[in-house]
Amino acid sequence: MATIKSPEDMQTPAEVREHCEQFRATFTKLKAEIGKVVVGHGEVVEAVLIAMFCGGNVLLEGVPGLGKTLLVRTLAQTLNLPFSRIQFTPDLMPADVIGTNIVMEDPDTGRRKFEFQRGPIFAQVVLADEINRATPKTQSALLEAMQERSVTVAGNTYKLDKPFLVLATQNPIEQEGTYPLPEAQLDRFIFKIVVGYSQMDDLMTILDRTTGTINPEVSKILDGPAIIKMQDLVRGVIVAPHVQQYVARLVLATHAGTATAAGGAGGPANKYIRCGASPRGAQALLLGAKVKALIDGRFHVSFKDVRAIATMCLRHRLILNFEAEADRVSQDDLVKQIIDLTQTEPAKV
């Protein structure tokens, strides 16, 4: 891949167009490489890649057997980065994730000292498999790593290498043996992506690949420095003030009991939402929209980019009340209604 410059180093419109095209070409190549192994789920693969270039973490939800783990493992194979997999189970302890201090003896002096033994979180691509099968205490062990990119043990803080990406899979919380993720942890996932069932053509291809003799292999496309350069390019994408204001109004429209709630006093926000999206929701919307703009060949964000990623940015950040459950209204339904009720231009007073 040709070297991508930081936004401040690009001097001319031609350079901007060239780097947008490089980003788009690399994104397409990476998606195609993953497609050699992962059949279908094109939108899911694209969403995971968008999150990676935003520098965020991803939560993949779906029933067992849909290829969530395969997708994450294949992504790791296309990246020249250290990879680790953590299988979350009810007996998993926080020290099994982040590591712990153990007593080591110096063979020369016989003296004993504590030495930090790093856990599997000290990788750059981390698969947290079936994360909601572990207890909330163990789930919370990921919080600092996901947000601050560091781990603190016994008063000592250890920085994680960049880029750092947590890809967590979970089964629907109605399934046996699962624990709901704490709201604080859900908010640290930039996207929640719902993985659905395969269609007939995709299922036939899956059967051909998994029950035959062909074993597809993928090539490494990107390394750490290249990913960081692309993440820097994403942050340099231009956002017009009225588009940024639209992002803010979308998030504020999720806040029940406020003047900005979608639909007003009798609207869906006040009727069904107990707790709306945090500022992290606005950050996710804006960063995701920037990547959408780049893969569309533009260096500026449009309203269309924001709406395209709104559902996966906000669905896990809305806490619904009992009335929503009684009326069978989902987070996805509410995000769609909020988008429909939020105009691209603020109302005239």
Side-chain angles (χ1 to χ4, degrees):
M1 188 190 84
T3 303
I4 290 183
K5 296 181 181 179
S6 299
E8 59 268 18
D9 295 331
M10 294 186 290
Q11 304 295 328
T12 65
E15 275 191 303
V16 173
R17 285 193 296 271
E18 179 187 350
H19 284 77
C20 285
E21 189 52 43
Q22 286 181 27
F23 185 101
R24 185 180 183 181
T26 304
F27 189 100
T28 302
K29 185 177 181 181
L30 199 55
K31 185 177 177 181
E33 199 69 21
I34 294 171
K36 291 180 179 179
V37 176
V38 179
V39 180
H41 299 307
E43 292 182 357
V44 174
V45 173
E46 181 173 301
V48 169
L49 294 179
I50 289 173
M52 181 181 74
F53 290 122
C54 290
N57 308 296
V58 181
L59 179 63
L60 295 156
E61 181 180 276
V63 297
L66 298 182
K68 302 184 297 296
T69 303
L70 177 65
L71 166 58
V72 178
R73 192 168 63 241
T74 305
L75 172 64
Q77 290 170 353
T78 64
L79 306 175
N80 193 18
L81 297 173
F83 168 72
S84 69
R85 172 179 176 173
I86 308 170
Q87 186 65 50
F88 280 68
T89 55
D91 60 348
L92 190 74
M93 298 299 291
D96 298 327
V97 177
I98 62 177
T100 187
N101 285 317
I102 61 174
V103 177
M104 299 292 290
E105 183 175 312
D106 190 316
D108 298 326
T109 64
R111 292 183 176 180
R112 295 180 179 180
K113 62 177 182 179
F114 282 107
E115 187 173 300
F116 180 60
Q117 189 76 28
R118 296 188 170 204
I121 197 68
F122 284 88
Q124 289 181 265
V125 180
V126 178
L127 166 59
D129 208 11
E130 294 190 305
I131 188 173
N132 61 335
R133 289 204 180 278
T135 60
K137 180 179 180 180
T138 302
Q139 293 170 7
S140 297
L142 289 173
L143 288 178
E144 184 183 0
M146 290 171 63
Q147 184 62 31
E148 280 81 31
R149 304 297 194 261
S150 63
V151 169
T152 301
V153 178
N156 295 316
T157 299
Y158 305 88
K159 290 292 183 182
L160 300 171
D161 292 334
K162 295 180 180 180
F164 176 78
L165 175 66
V166 173
L167 297 131
T169 69
Q170 76 167 10
N171 300 321
I173 59 172
E174 295 83 7
Q175 290 217 332
E176 190 73 25
T178 59
Y179 300 84
L181 294 180
E183 287 81 0
Q185 185 166 0
L186 280 173
D187 200 32
R188 283 166 169 80
F189 288 103
I190 190 169
F191 298 153
K192 177 183 175 182
I193 304 167
V194 177
V195 183
Y197 290 103
S198 300
Q199 301 300 314
M200 173 63 80
D201 292 344
D202 291 336
L203 188 56
M204 293 296 288
T205 305
I206 290 170
L207 292 174
D208 289 338
R209 290 188 183 180
T210 56
T211 62
T213 57
I214 298 174
N215 186 22
E217 294 185 1
V218 297
S219 304
K220 295 193 181 299
I221 306 297
L222 285 176
D223 58 11
I227 293 171
I228 291 173
K229 282 287 187 184
M230 294 177 75
Q231 289 174 345
D232 289 342
L233 182 68
V234 168
R235 288 183 173 269
V237 173
I238 297 168
V239 183
H242 61 284
V243 177
Q244 184 164 312
Q245 189 184 66
Y246 175 64
V247 169
R249 286 190 291 108
L250 270 179
V251 170
L252 292 174
T254 68
H255 297 169
T258 66
T260 58
N270 281 315
K271 187 176 182 181
Y272 295 122
I273 296 177
R274 181 160 57 90
C275 186
S278 72
R280 285 197 189 101
Q283 294 165 359
L285 279 168
L286 207 53
L287 284 171
K290 288 184 176 187
V291 180
K292 286 291 287 185
L294 281 173
I295 60 180
D296 199 34
R298 290 176 284 106
F299 203 64
H300 66 277
V301 175
S302 70
F303 295 119
K304 178 183 71 173
D305 300 323
V306 176
R307 288 192 288 263
I309 50 92
T311 300
M312 57 188 179
C313 288
L314 300 178
R315 59 162 57 111
H316 56 300
R317 293 184 163 95
L318 303 184
I319 302 174
L320 307 188
N321 57 26
F322 291 112
E323 192 166 353
E325 186 175 350
D327 290 350
R328 298 183 181 273
V329 175
S330 69
Q331 283 94 340
D332 288 13
D333 296 331
L334 283 170
V335 173
K336 185 178 184 304
Q337 291 180 49
I338 289 167
I339 291 172
D340 291 342
L341 290 168
T342 305
Q343 302 299 316
T344 54
E345 297 294 337
K348 302 293 183 182
V349 180

